Amino acid sequence: MKRFNQYIIGAMLLGTCTLGLTSCDLDEFNPSGEGANAVFATMQGMEGLVNQMYYNFKWKYYGREDPVLYFEGAGDIWANIPEKNEYGMQLTRFVNLQGDRGQVAGAWNRVYDNVNLANTVLDYLPDTKNLSDATRNDFEGEARFTRAYAYWWLVEWFGDIEMRTKGTGEPTFTAVRTDRKVIYDELIIPDAEKAAQLLPVTPYNGDIGRATKKAAYGILARACLARAQYEEAGSDAQRAFYQKAYDAAKYVMDNKASLGIKLYSTYDEIWQTKNNKNNTEFLWVVTHSENSSLNPNPKNPNRLHLYWAPRLLTRAGITSSATAWEYPKESVLLMPTYYFLNLWEDWDLRYDVLFQEDFPEVNPRGSYKWTDVMAQNYNAKENLVGKTVNNGETVLRFTKKHVTDGDKEAAAEQGIALVGIDDIYESENVNAQGGCKIRQTTDPKSSVFIASSFPRFKKYRIWDGDPNGTILLTDATGNVGFGDVPVIRYAEMPLIAAEAQIGLGNQAAAAQIINSEIRNQRVVKPNYSLRDAQVSASQMTIEWILEERARELCGEWLRWFDLKRTGKLVNYIRQHNPAWDGNDVVDEHNNLWPIPNTFLDKLQNAEEFGQNPGYNPYVRNAD
């Protein structure tokens, strides 16, 4: 199959800005009149318009920093590293989050752009000439998938917003809120259902990254599960949405072969770089090209390898170079919380696949001799100083295990600086829900070293350690990663199905799904029994599901949505992820994000539309 990296619309007539819904300039062109009619009546023009719907996902979101901060960082399993405690704190901890935040406006604008693009496709598609029935169905299905996905995001983030089903060809200066349940019932769910009906199994033109039938069922299951939260617990209405979520997820589970899904025999294969570009467990991906000129942001397409790493470069002799793939450029941003590291049981192979604790020496001289200064940075014992570590041998070990002074001394005899979980976190002050703060020490320099010495999250790896294997980075000292990013993955389906069964009161059925689809042999370490991983009906609670979703779906853009959907956002952040400096301001109003001021500034009825509760009321600028 081909890579999907086409963005140019025929004749460039489409200005994707939805005036009245975004902050774009009022003189920006929008499709209207005979020019757009002529272009989008052609096969080439319509194909370009459909292609453009994927642009923002690649340019602004999946592979970039902001979604890492507000989808994963704004939760309970990742925390700001202390040296960047205030970096993006409006997004990760809601400190001073208001409607003037640029990232909030950026998400609103670009996701609404996708709504307008999808609406424009649906407006013009009936009049497009020379399309086969299959192509017409495909284009409609892609538009409905895009619109369903975009509105799911917008509604969960912003609540009651304006629902538009027609492309905006002229500037509009008023907006009216629509109840979020109406948006789900009249647009998101019907669009997802229609997309599932229309879309083919194989992507249009063989382009990986386009929506297909399995992706449509994926967003349908996700949307129905989210819709259930807005009904009274245990009510018939809520049960109906749980059933729809289960049915959609179960369809994917029961039709893997016909949908083109094939499960790997080992868990590691899901994340191996050699499988990234044609992954058989990904339901929908955002693609990035090895040819950087084809990416919307050529210099910075996929940077996910930067954000979850500890500080390694320049530590203990470790050096980077253009081909030192073990240690690419760092942009240390988030670290796992104490709560998250303690969610993993000893049998769970997934931890070993997803996290790296041992770090080998890489030094142009071929070896490194421990200095007193560097050893003291890790609070290491004297017997580490002077030890020589050759390239390829372990020089640093950052572990989730509790280690003793004796363990550290034994590691030091081998030339290894060992940092345990108690060195990084205030484990003596663990609260009743299993969370504690990152440790602060009296030595600022040592504090920086220790607090940035955590296991490396490697779900978004750029190579597998084979010098002759696949590498998903153009230069280890640069930013240009080109791995594809999974946005919907197969494992989410059984987790949705199990959660839906819990909502329906069928705990035994939920346990059976988990045992067969998630807790199977491929996630169990050698020398452990499958029985260690299997679960019982009595364990099937929403709290357990959230733990398993943390283990299975960590880093996959869902944690904020999961906590919001289950009503756990405030409590889980406060208890599982207490702020390093005690600045825990998250409150119930953070279950919605603020409406961007830049949007309200353009509305004639801004005061009527209003700001979301709990944020500063909107005041129109005097100028």
Side-chain angles (χ1 to χ4, degrees):
M1 290 185 179
K2 294 180 292 182
R3 314 308 306 155
F4 178 44
N5 290 287
Q6 301 299 317
Y7 306 102
I8 306 302
I9 293 181
M12 292 304 294
L13 281 174
L14 182 67
T16 64
C17 177
T18 307
L19 302 176
L21 291 179
T22 78
S23 62
C24 298
D25 295 334
L26 295 181
D27 59 356
E28 190 163 340
F29 182 79
N30 278 265
S32 62
E34 295 181 1
N37 287 336
V39 171
F40 300 140
T42 68
M43 167 70 175
Q44 181 183 10
M46 180 53 65
E47 184 176 26
L49 181 60
V50 173
N51 290 353
Q52 188 73 15
M53 294 190 302
Y54 297 92
Y55 181 90
N56 286 326
F57 293 126
K58 305 163 187 282
W59 175 43
K60 282 291 186 182
Y61 301 121
Y62 299 113
R64 305 309 303 279
E65 180 181 286
D66 286 357
V68 172
L69 292 172
Y70 52 59
F71 286 158
E72 290 292 328
D76 62 336
I77 62 176
W78 306 105
N80 288 64
I81 65 166
E83 64 184 273
K84 290 187 176 179
N85 182 54
E86 296 184 358
Y87 185 83
M89 63 183 180
Q90 299 91 341
L91 306 180
T92 60
R93 303 204 312 277
F94 309 100
V95 178
N96 298 322
L97 177 65
Q98 296 294 339
D100 59 355
R101 188 68 185 173
Q103 288 90 341
V104 177
W108 173 281
N109 293 346
R110 301 290 78 81
V111 180
Y112 257 124
D113 282 350
N114 284 3
V115 169
N116 193 45
L117 282 161
N119 283 339
T120 305
V121 170
L122 296 172
D123 288 344
Y124 284 96
L125 187 60
D127 297 323
T128 304
K129 299 177 176 61
N130 300 319
L131 291 183
S132 67
D133 289 344
T135 298
R136 195 177 302 275
N137 287 343
D138 193 304
F139 287 173
E140 180 182 347
E142 290 186 78
R144 292 190 182 279
F145 169 85
T146 299
R147 192 168 67 173
Y149 188 92
Y151 264 119
W152 164 77
W153 178 346
L154 289 166
V155 165
E156 290 305 300
W157 248 38
F158 298 108
D160 298 342
I161 53 176
E162 182 156 33
M163 182 177 74
R164 293 207 172 183
T165 59
K166 295 292 183 182
T168 303
E170 300 295 335
T172 58
F173 300 98
T174 61
V176 178
R177 289 185 185 252
T178 305
D179 186 284
R180 69 201 73 178
K181 295 197 291 186
V182 173
I183 299 176
Y184 265 109
D185 296 347
E186 296 185 6
L187 191 150
I188 299 174
I189 293 174
D191 267 0
E193 290 174 328
K194 188 67 172 178
Q197 174 189 339
L198 293 173
L199 283 171
V201 170
T202 302
Y204 173 77
N205 206 27
D207 293 332
I208 294 173
R210 305 185 80 114
T212 59
K213 190 176 293 292
K214 61 187 178 184
Y217 274 103
I219 192 59
L220 176 60
R222 188 185 287 184
C224 290
L225 188 69
R227 176 63 178 86
Q229 72 185 290
Y230 300 115
E231 299 297 338
E232 182 180 354
S235 66
D236 289 343
Q238 186 184 66
R239 290 175 60 85
F241 287 111
Y242 278 135
Q243 186 65 51
K244 287 176 72 71
Y246 172 78
D247 290 343
K250 189 66 161 54
Y251 181 88
V252 177
M253 293 159 57
D254 288 347
N255 293 277
K256 288 190 283 290
S258 63
L259 291 172
I261 300 167
K262 182 179 179 181
L263 303 187
Y264 295 105
S265 58
T266 66
Y267 192 78
D268 187 57
E269 289 177 278
I270 303 172
W271 307 109
Q272 288 176 5
T273 57
K274 68 179 182 181
N275 294 323
N276 174 267
K277 291 295 183 178
N278 193 11
N279 195 288
T280 59
E281 293 199 28
F282 295 167
L283 306 189
W284 182 51
V285 301
V286 166
T287 60
H288 298 280
S289 176
E290 184 175 2
N291 182 349
S292 61
S293 66
L294 295 178
N295 295 312
N297 195 335
K299 295 183 179 179
N300 298 304
N302 180 351
R303 303 177 66 178
L304 294 180
H305 63 284
L306 300 175
Y307 300 133
W308 280 287
R311 288 286 181 202
L312 296 166
L313 296 177
T314 74
R315 305 284 172 89
I318 292 174
T319 304
S320 178
S321 68
T323 57
W325 308 113
E326 180 67 52
Y327 298 111
K329 182 178 178 180
E330 297 172 351
S331 178
V332 182
L333 190 62
L334 296 180
M335 62 187 294
T337 61
Y338 181 89
Y339 164 79
F340 184 34
L341 289 178
N342 279 280
L343 283 182
W344 306 87
E345 298 182 63
D346 291 342
W347 57 263
D348 203 332
L349 181 66
R350 291 174 297 182
Y351 177 81
D352 291 351
V353 168
L354 299 179
F355 287 91
Q356 179 181 354
E357 295 192 345
D358 281 14
F359 302 96
E361 182 61 61
V362 173
N363 191 296
R365 295 186 178 90
S367 65
Y368 171 72
K369 180 180 286 189
W370 276 97
T371 66
D372 179 72
V373 172
M374 186 60 68
Q376 292 307 314
N377 286 329
Y378 291 104
N379 296 326
K381 298 295 182 180
E382 293 181 358
N383 53 351
L384 182 61
V385 178
K387 290 290 190 300
T388 296
V389 183
N390 296 318
N391 280 356
E393 297 176 347
T394 299
V395 67
L396 299 173
R397 178 173 295 147
F398 308 151
T399 180
K400 72 180 182 69
K401 297 177 181 177
H402 301 277
V403 300
T404 66
D405 286 345
D407 295 328
K408 294 178 183 179
E409 291 173 2
E413 289 294 334
Q414 302 175 57
I416 301 171
L418 175 60
V419 178
I421 196 168
D422 304 308
D423 299 314
I424 310 171
Y425 307 93
E426 294 181 4
S427 54
E428 68 278 10
N429 295 318
V430 177
N431 60 41
Q433 292 195 32
C436 68
K437 295 179 180 179
I438 300 165
R439 187 178 299 283
Q440 300 185 56
T441 70
T442 56
D443 180 352
K445 185 176 182 182
S446 179
S447 177
V448 168
F449 268 74
I450 297 300
S452 61
S453 301
F454 47 87
R456 177 163 67 175
F457 183 61
K458 55 177 186 174
K459 182 169 279 188
Y460 300 116
R461 63 186 76 166
I462 52 92
W463 81 313
D464 297 321
D466 179 1
N468 300 313
T470 302
I471 299 171
L472 299 175
L473 187 65
T474 57
D475 180 339
T477 61
N479 297 325
V480 187
F482 50 85
D484 292 349
V485 181
V487 182
I488 307 177
R489 184 165 64 88
Y490 176 79
E492 187 184 350
M493 298 300 102
L495 286 165
I496 288 175
E499 184 175 338
Q501 287 295 332
I502 292 171
L504 292 168
N506 301 327
Q507 280 74 11
Q512 190 278 326
I513 293 168
I514 295 296
N515 287 334
S516 62
E517 297 285 344
I518 301 293
R519 294 290 189 88
N520 47 39
Q521 190 65 54
R522 73 174 183 171
V523 303
V524 179
K525 291 180 184 178
N527 302 321
Y528 284 87
S529 169
L530 179 60
R531 291 191 301 272
D532 298 321
Q534 298 281 274
V535 297
S536 64
S538 63
Q539 293 175 269
M540 292 296 97
T541 64
I542 291 299
E543 291 75 16
W544 188 94
I545 286 290
L546 284 173
E547 290 182 357
E548 191 68 5
R549 287 180 69 94
R551 287 182 286 258
E552 182 64 41
L553 301 176
C554 50
E556 296 185 47
W557 326 108
L558 289 167
R559 194 58 180 177
W560 182 88
F561 293 104
D562 289 347
L563 298 183
K564 182 268 176 90
R565 182 185 72 253
T566 55
K568 306 289 188 181
L569 182 72
V570 175
N571 182 52
Y572 271 35
I573 291 179
R574 286 180 174 271
Q575 297 300 316
H576 295 164
N577 188 13
W580 186 71
D581 59 0
N583 197 0
D584 296 301
V585 300
V586 60
D587 204 288
E588 292 298 335
H589 76 277
N590 297 126
N591 282 294
L592 293 178
W593 288 70
I595 303 296
N597 288 356
T598 51
F599 162 68
L600 295 171
D601 284 341
K602 290 178 171 58
L603 291 185
Q604 294 173 350
N605 66 330
E607 290 77 8
E608 176 188 1
F609 191 93
Q611 182 54 270
N612 280 336
Y615 296 101
N616 292 341
Y618 174 73
V619 177
R620 189 178 298 277
N621 293 328
D623 56 0

